[in-house]
Amino acid sequence: MLRPVSLAAMLLTLAAPVAAADGKAHRDYILRCAGCHGMDGVGTVEGGIPTFPGSVGVIAADDLGRTYMMHVPGVVSASLDDAAIAEVMNYVLGEWAPGEAEPFTAAEVTRRRAVPVADVVALRRDVAAKLMSEGYRIADYPWP
């Protein structure tokens, strides 16, 4: 005998995989990113960790900026596969820059992580200079 199922129960069942993915990305952010960027994404001036609000979306909307993001120390050392890195990046964008940049895919993460970057600080300076020349301002970055 079939039991009637409420619309709410059906929607919850359909949404469960999305919620699980979002939950995993949130947990991965807490475990691998929040130690530096904080739960609120604002980083620390003293620690030289830039803030996400008002900045991460601008960087992620730029081609060179997206490559830079795949080479920041926390991403390089995250011990996550490329699909999980894409999920965490999309979590960050969803939290602090909704609608400002295209979501990352695992294939893009793989491709951008394969780009050789000898000096991530120099790359960050190049990204900042490029964006500033286009009229954008991003968070300060105190590294030399």
Side-chain angles (χ1 to χ4, degrees), residues 30-84:
I30 292 169
L31 293 172
R32 293 175 170 86
C33 309
C36 294
H37 288 282
M39 290 300 295
D40 55 4
V42 298
T44 64
V45 174
E46 303 81 15
I49 308 300
T51 185
F52 286 149
S55 207
V56 74
V58 174
I59 294 169
D62 180 78
D63 185 62
L64 187 60
R66 290 174 82 83
T67 298
Y68 158 73
M69 290 175 70
M70 293 303 107
H71 290 276
V72 298
V75 173
V76 169
S77 65
S79 71
L80 295 171
D81 66 26
D82 293 345

Side-chain angles (χ1 to χ4, degrees), residues 103-126:
F104 284 90
T105 65
E108 179 185 13
V109 170
T110 301
R111 180 174 53 82
R112 291 186 185 278
R113 288 181 80 192
V115 173
V117 173
D119 185 342
V120 72
V121 174
L123 179 57
R124 171 72 160 62
R125 280 195 298 263
D126 292 345

Side-chain angles (χ1 to χ4, degrees), residues 78-103:
S79 71
L80 295 171
D81 66 26
D82 293 345
I85 289 172
E87 289 174 7
V88 173
M89 287 293 150
N90 294 334
Y91 169 81
V92 168
L93 291 173
E95 288 293 308
W96 293 288
E100 292 181 29
E102 291 294 317

